[in-house]
Amino acid sequence: MSKERRVRLLTKADVGQLAEVFHLSITQAAASHYSEEERAVWSPALRSDDEWLLRLAPTVTWVAEEEAFISGFINLKPTIETLGSDGEPVLSAEVDCLFTHPSFVGKGVASQLYQCLEQYAIAQQISELTVEASYLAKPFFEKQGYRVLSKNEHSRADQVLVNFSMRKTLEF
Protein backbone atom coordinates (compact mmCIF):
# COMPACT_ATOMS: atom_id res chain seq x y z
CA MET A 1 0.00 0.00 0.00
CA SER A 2 1.52 3.33 -1.04
CA LYS A 3 1.38 6.37 1.13
CA GLU A 4 -0.38 9.47 -0.15
CA ARG A 5 2.07 12.30 -0.81
CA ARG A 6 1.09 15.91 -1.04
CA VAL A 7 3.19 18.92 -1.90
CA ARG A 8 2.39 22.14 -0.10
CA LEU A 9 4.01 25.37 0.98
CA LEU A 10 6.31 25.31 4.00
CA THR A 11 4.99 26.31 7.42
CA LYS A 12 7.13 27.34 10.38
CA ALA A 13 6.21 24.05 12.07
CA ASP A 14 7.99 22.13 9.25
CA VAL A 15 11.42 23.68 9.78
CA GLY A 16 12.76 21.11 12.26
CA GLN A 17 11.93 18.22 9.91
CA LEU A 18 13.28 20.17 6.94
CA ALA A 19 16.62 20.65 8.76
CA GLU A 20 16.74 16.91 9.37
CA VAL A 21 15.98 16.09 5.71
CA PHE A 22 18.81 18.39 4.62
CA HIS A 23 21.33 16.90 7.06
CA LEU A 24 20.41 13.26 6.36
CA SER A 25 20.36 13.83 2.62
CA ILE A 26 23.94 15.09 2.74
CA THR A 27 25.32 12.71 5.36
CA GLN A 28 23.62 9.58 3.96
CA ALA A 29 22.23 9.97 0.43
CA ALA A 30 25.23 11.94 -0.90
CA ALA A 31 27.64 9.20 0.27
CA SER A 32 27.59 7.76 -3.25
CA HIS A 33 29.23 10.91 -4.63
CA TYR A 34 31.04 12.66 -1.76
CA SER A 35 33.57 11.35 0.76
CA GLU A 36 32.85 11.22 4.49
CA GLU A 37 35.19 14.20 4.98
CA GLU A 38 33.44 16.25 2.28
CA ARG A 39 30.01 15.50 3.73
CA ALA A 40 31.24 16.40 7.24
CA VAL A 41 32.21 19.92 6.14
CA TRP A 42 29.09 20.33 3.99
CA SER A 43 26.75 19.55 6.89
CA PRO A 44 28.73 19.07 10.11
CA ALA A 45 25.61 19.14 12.32
CA LEU A 46 21.88 19.70 12.23
CA ARG A 47 21.29 23.42 11.63
CA SER A 48 18.98 25.29 13.96
CA ASP A 49 15.41 26.25 13.11
CA ASP A 50 16.45 29.91 13.31
CA GLU A 51 19.22 29.38 10.73
CA TRP A 52 16.76 27.72 8.38
CA LEU A 53 14.05 30.33 8.90
CA LEU A 54 16.57 33.04 8.02
CA ARG A 55 17.76 31.18 4.91
CA LEU A 56 14.26 30.36 3.70
CA ALA A 57 12.66 33.75 4.48
CA PRO A 58 13.29 35.33 1.06
CA THR A 59 12.32 32.16 -0.85
CA VAL A 60 9.19 30.26 -1.82
CA THR A 61 9.53 26.80 -0.27
CA TRP A 62 7.51 23.65 -0.89
CA VAL A 63 7.60 20.45 1.13
CA ALA A 64 6.53 16.93 0.20
CA GLU A 65 4.56 15.43 3.05
CA GLU A 66 3.61 11.81 3.58
CA GLU A 67 1.45 11.08 6.64
CA ALA A 68 2.75 14.22 8.44
CA PHE A 69 6.35 13.28 7.59
CA ILE A 70 8.41 15.65 5.43
CA SER A 71 10.01 13.52 2.72
CA GLY A 72 11.65 16.36 0.79
CA PHE A 73 11.72 20.06 0.05
CA ILE A 74 12.56 22.54 -2.69
CA ASN A 75 12.80 26.30 -2.71
CA LEU A 76 13.10 29.12 -5.20
CA LYS A 77 15.13 32.27 -4.57
CA PRO A 78 13.66 35.62 -5.57
CA THR A 79 13.39 36.68 -9.16
CA ILE A 80 16.14 38.80 -10.67
CA GLU A 81 15.60 40.84 -13.83
CA THR A 82 18.46 40.86 -16.32
CA LEU A 83 18.75 41.81 -19.98
CA GLY A 84 18.74 39.07 -22.56
CA SER A 85 20.91 39.01 -25.69
CA ASP A 86 18.15 40.95 -27.49
CA GLY A 87 18.16 43.67 -24.82
CA GLU A 88 14.77 42.59 -23.48
CA PRO A 89 14.27 41.97 -19.74
CA VAL A 90 14.59 38.36 -18.60
CA LEU A 91 13.21 37.16 -15.27
CA SER A 92 15.52 34.61 -13.66
CA ALA A 93 15.26 32.68 -10.39
CA GLU A 94 17.44 30.11 -8.64
CA VAL A 95 16.49 26.70 -7.31
CA ASP A 96 18.28 27.08 -3.97
CA CYS A 97 17.63 23.68 -2.39
CA LEU A 98 16.23 20.35 -3.49
CA PHE A 99 16.69 17.62 -0.90
CA THR A 100 14.96 14.29 -0.35
CA HIS A 101 15.01 12.21 2.83
CA PRO A 102 17.24 9.15 2.17
CA SER A 103 14.29 6.80 2.78
CA PHE A 104 12.44 8.39 -0.15
CA VAL A 105 15.21 8.75 -2.77
CA GLY A 106 14.11 7.35 -6.13
CA LYS A 107 10.40 7.42 -5.23
CA GLY A 108 9.36 10.51 -7.21
CA VAL A 109 9.59 13.06 -4.38
CA ALA A 110 12.08 15.32 -6.16
CA SER A 111 10.12 15.14 -9.43
CA GLN A 112 6.86 16.07 -7.73
CA LEU A 113 8.49 18.96 -5.85
CA TYR A 114 10.23 20.22 -8.97
CA GLN A 115 7.00 20.11 -10.98
CA CYS A 116 5.34 22.44 -8.44
CA LEU A 117 8.29 24.83 -8.54
CA GLU A 118 8.39 24.97 -12.34
CA GLN A 119 4.62 25.50 -12.61
CA TYR A 120 4.94 28.38 -10.13
CA ALA A 121 7.89 29.86 -12.08
CA ILE A 122 5.95 29.75 -15.35
CA ALA A 123 2.90 31.36 -13.68
CA GLN A 124 5.23 34.13 -12.46
CA GLN A 125 6.56 34.51 -16.03
CA ILE A 126 10.07 33.58 -14.93
CA SER A 127 11.84 32.63 -18.14
CA GLU A 128 15.06 31.21 -16.75
CA LEU A 129 15.87 28.92 -13.84
CA THR A 130 19.37 28.31 -12.50
CA VAL A 131 20.73 25.86 -9.95
CA GLU A 132 24.02 24.94 -8.32
CA ALA A 133 23.64 21.16 -8.47
CA SER A 134 25.66 18.56 -6.59
CA TYR A 135 27.01 15.43 -8.29
CA LEU A 136 23.94 13.63 -6.93
CA ALA A 137 21.45 16.25 -8.23
CA LYS A 138 23.10 16.92 -11.61
CA PRO A 139 21.50 13.96 -13.49
CA PHE A 140 18.08 14.88 -12.07
CA PHE A 141 18.34 18.46 -13.33
CA GLU A 142 19.66 17.28 -16.71
CA LYS A 143 16.50 15.14 -17.03
CA GLN A 144 14.47 18.30 -16.36
CA GLY A 145 16.16 20.03 -19.31
CA TYR A 146 18.95 21.95 -17.55
CA ARG A 147 22.33 22.30 -19.18
CA VAL A 148 25.66 22.56 -17.39
CA LEU A 149 27.33 25.96 -17.62
CA SER A 150 30.34 25.23 -15.42
CA LYS A 151 31.87 22.86 -12.88
CA ASN A 152 32.66 24.67 -9.61
CA GLU A 153 35.02 23.91 -6.75
CA HIS A 154 34.29 25.35 -3.30
CA SER A 155 36.89 25.12 -0.53
CA ARG A 156 35.50 24.40 2.94
CA ALA A 157 37.85 23.65 5.79
CA ASP A 158 40.39 21.31 4.19
CA GLN A 159 37.98 19.89 1.60
CA VAL A 160 36.96 20.90 -1.92
CA LEU A 161 33.27 20.42 -2.72
CA VAL A 162 32.29 20.20 -6.37
CA ASN A 163 28.99 21.33 -7.86
CA PHE A 164 27.68 22.41 -11.24
CA SER A 165 26.12 25.70 -12.36
CA MET A 166 23.15 24.80 -14.55
CA ARG A 167 20.45 26.73 -16.43
CA LYS A 168 17.09 26.04 -18.05
CA THR A 169 14.99 28.33 -20.21
CA LEU A 170 11.25 28.07 -19.54
CA GLU A 171 8.59 28.31 -22.23
CA PHE A 172 5.20 29.86 -21.58
Side-chain angles (χ1 to χ4, degrees), residues 2-170:
S2 68
K3 296 176 183 175
E4 175 120 5
R5 177 185 310 131
R6 72 181 185 123
V7 174
R8 60 172 175 76
L9 290 173
L10 173 84
T11 67
K12 190 174 178 178
D14 299 324
V15 175
Q17 281 192 62
L18 181 144
E20 189 173 342
V21 167
F22 175 84
H23 185 67
L24 292 174
S25 180
I26 291 167
T27 58
Q28 294 178 17
S32 57
H33 293 81
Y34 294 90
S35 71
E36 186 175 342
E37 295 78 16
E38 289 169 329
R39 289 178 284 125
V41 298
W42 187 359
S43 185
L46 204 58
R47 293 181 187 167
S48 73
D49 288 6
D50 288 342
E51 287 178 272
W52 275 107
L53 288 169
L54 186 64
R55 178 176 181 167
L56 299 173
T59 73
V60 179
T61 305
W62 294 266
V63 296
E65 179 182 55
E66 306 189 32
E67 296 182 1
F69 182 81
I70 303 299
S71 56
F73 72 98
I74 193 169
N75 69 335
L76 189 65
K77 279 189 175 179
T79 304
I80 299 167
E81 188 173 311
T82 59
L83 292 180
S85 56
D86 58 2
E88 291 295 312
V90 173
L91 292 180
S92 179
E94 180 183 358
V95 179
D96 180 43
C97 293
L98 173 55
F99 290 94
T100 302
H101 188 285
S103 299
F104 294 89
V105 170
K107 296 183 179 175
V109 174
S111 296
Q112 196 171 351
L113 285 163
Y114 181 78
Q115 183 179 28
C116 288
L117 179 141
E118 190 169 292
Q119 287 172 352
Y120 172 86
I122 290 169
Q124 299 297 310
Q125 298 192 334
I126 295 168
S127 54
E128 177 183 88
L129 292 174
T130 61
V131 67
E132 300 291 313
S134 67
Y135 275 116
L136 187 61
K138 180 178 170 275
F140 172 83
F141 282 104
E142 287 174 327
K143 285 179 188 171
Q144 307 310 314
Y146 285 72
R147 59 184 173 81
V148 174
L149 302 174
S150 65
K151 181 179 179 180
N152 311 307
E153 294 183 352
H154 304 279
S155 294
R156 286 198 189 165
D158 60 346
Q159 298 297 312
V160 176
L161 299 177
V162 173
N163 72 7
F164 302 87
S165 295
M166 303 179 78
R167 176 184 298 142
K168 178 180 182 175
T169 301
L170 299 178

